[in-house]
């Protein structure tokens, strides 16, 4: 089995619903977001998947999702799993976002740095460092749950996994099954949407 990381996005939040830019600022899960997290929990339960450890971003929306999905309170909160910082754009309408660079997967690039935010490189690097530390602490044949955010998750898998999948957008509570290879690299083996009950990607 090896080391398996189930990396997932949090459930829908009030700011998601209102189409507001949400990075380091936070908003609570909506009723739909709670239902999405419950659907993810059922997915793991139906496959008899249990976690040796649970990790979450320090932000409330991720913590609440981790608690609902795993039914546990002994999870570890890590700042390295936080969403991208959008600087002074935080909390404002998504209409203010610049166009996404979908061609090379760099997203917003370094656009938000000038406004006190992070670049995609900074986000992908801290995510990679955090997940590498988690992987190094895992025992062989163990599996962990890691709850993070849409942009942070995407910047990690696009630039730090072997032959990354091509997916446009990542649904709330999407689950990436990631295997840690013998050389320490990461490989995405599937991406599952527990609400639609369908695989967006299978290797």
């Amino acid at each position: 089995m090896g080391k398996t990381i189930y990396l997932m996005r949090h459930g829908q939040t009030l700011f998601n619903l209102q189409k507001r830019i949400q990075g380091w600022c936070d908003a609570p899960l909506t009723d739909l977001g709670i239902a999405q997290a419950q659907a993810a929990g059922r997915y793991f339960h139906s496959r008899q998947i249990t976690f040796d450890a649970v990790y979450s971003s320090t932000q409330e929306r991720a913590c609440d999702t981790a608690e609902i999905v795993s039914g546990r309170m002994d999870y570890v909160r890590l700042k390295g799993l936080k969403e991208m910082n959008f600087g002074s754009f935080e909390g404002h309408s998504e209409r203010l976002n610049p166009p996404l660079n979908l061609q090379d997967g760099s997203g917003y690039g370094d656009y938000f740095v000038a406004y006190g935010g992070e670049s995609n490189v900074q986000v992908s690097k801290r995510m990679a460092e955090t997940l590498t530390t988690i992987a190094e602490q895992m025992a062989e044949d163990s599996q962990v749950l890691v709850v993070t955010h849409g942009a942070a998750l995407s910047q990690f898998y696009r630039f730090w996994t072997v032959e990354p999948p091509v997916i446009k957008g990542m649904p709330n509570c999407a689950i990436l099954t990631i295997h840690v290879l013998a050389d320490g690299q990461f490989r995405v083996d599937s991406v599952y949407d527990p609400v639609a009950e369908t695989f967006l990607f299978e290797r």
Side-chain angles (χ1 to χ4, degrees):
M1 182 176 70
K3 299 178 181 180
T4 304
I5 297 174
Y6 294 99
L7 181 65
M8 66 176 291
R9 186 186 176 195
H10 61 79
Q12 185 199 64
T13 70
L14 180 62
F15 276 15
N16 290 151
L17 184 63
Q18 295 176 343
K19 298 191 182 303
R20 293 183 178 274
I21 297 171
Q22 181 180 220
W24 281 17
C25 69
D26 213 354
L29 296 180
T30 61
D31 289 343
L32 175 58
I34 293 170
Q36 290 167 336
Q38 292 170 336
R42 289 192 296 271
Y43 168 78
F44 290 120
H45 180 74
S46 68
R47 287 158 179 77
Q48 298 182 323
I49 297 172
T50 57
F51 308 115
D52 294 283
V54 178
Y55 299 87
S56 171
S57 154
T58 54
Q59 293 166 284
E60 179 183 334
R61 58 192 187 271
C63 292
D64 288 351
T65 300
E67 292 173 15
I68 294 168
V69 172
S70 68
R72 293 169 56 168
M73 296 297 292
D74 62 339
Y75 57 94
V76 179
R77 300 165 71 244
L78 298 173
K79 289 185 178 180
L81 299 172
K82 288 177 69 172
E83 179 58 298
M84 182 175 185
N85 181 0
F86 296 104
S88 58
F89 282 71
E90 293 277 350
H92 292 285
S93 171
E94 291 179 354
R95 290 178 296 179
L96 299 177
N97 276 331
L100 278 168
N101 186 337
L102 300 176
Q103 187 171 1
D104 66 6
S106 63
Y108 298 117
D110 61 0
Y111 180 85
F112 292 102
V113 173
Y115 302 95
E118 291 180 289
S119 70
N120 73 297
V121 173
Q122 290 173 309
V123 176
S124 66
K125 185 173 182 290
R126 67 169 164 81
M127 282 288 294
E129 290 173 348
T130 303
L131 286 164
T132 296
T133 298
I134 289 172
E136 290 173 347
Q137 295 173 348
M138 293 173 65
E140 288 300 322
D141 296 329
S142 63
Q143 46 197 14
V144 301
L145 173 68
V146 178
V147 182
T148 183
H149 308 264
L153 181 156
S154 296
Q155 291 305 312
F156 168 73
Y157 85 79
R158 286 172 178 161
F159 295 102
W160 294 90
T161 67
V162 177
E163 299 177 351
V166 178
I167 298 174
K168 186 177 180 180
M170 192 64 66
N172 287 103
C173 283
I175 301 165
L176 282 69
T177 300
I178 297 176
H179 282 105
V180 182
L181 305 180
D183 59 2
Q185 294 191 80
F186 300 96
R187 184 187 67 208
V188 179
D189 283 352
S190 68
V191 179
Y192 185 75
D193 182 345
V195 177
E197 299 184 343
T198 185
F199 282 94
L200 305 178
F201 169 81
E202 288 186 277
R203 193 170 294 282

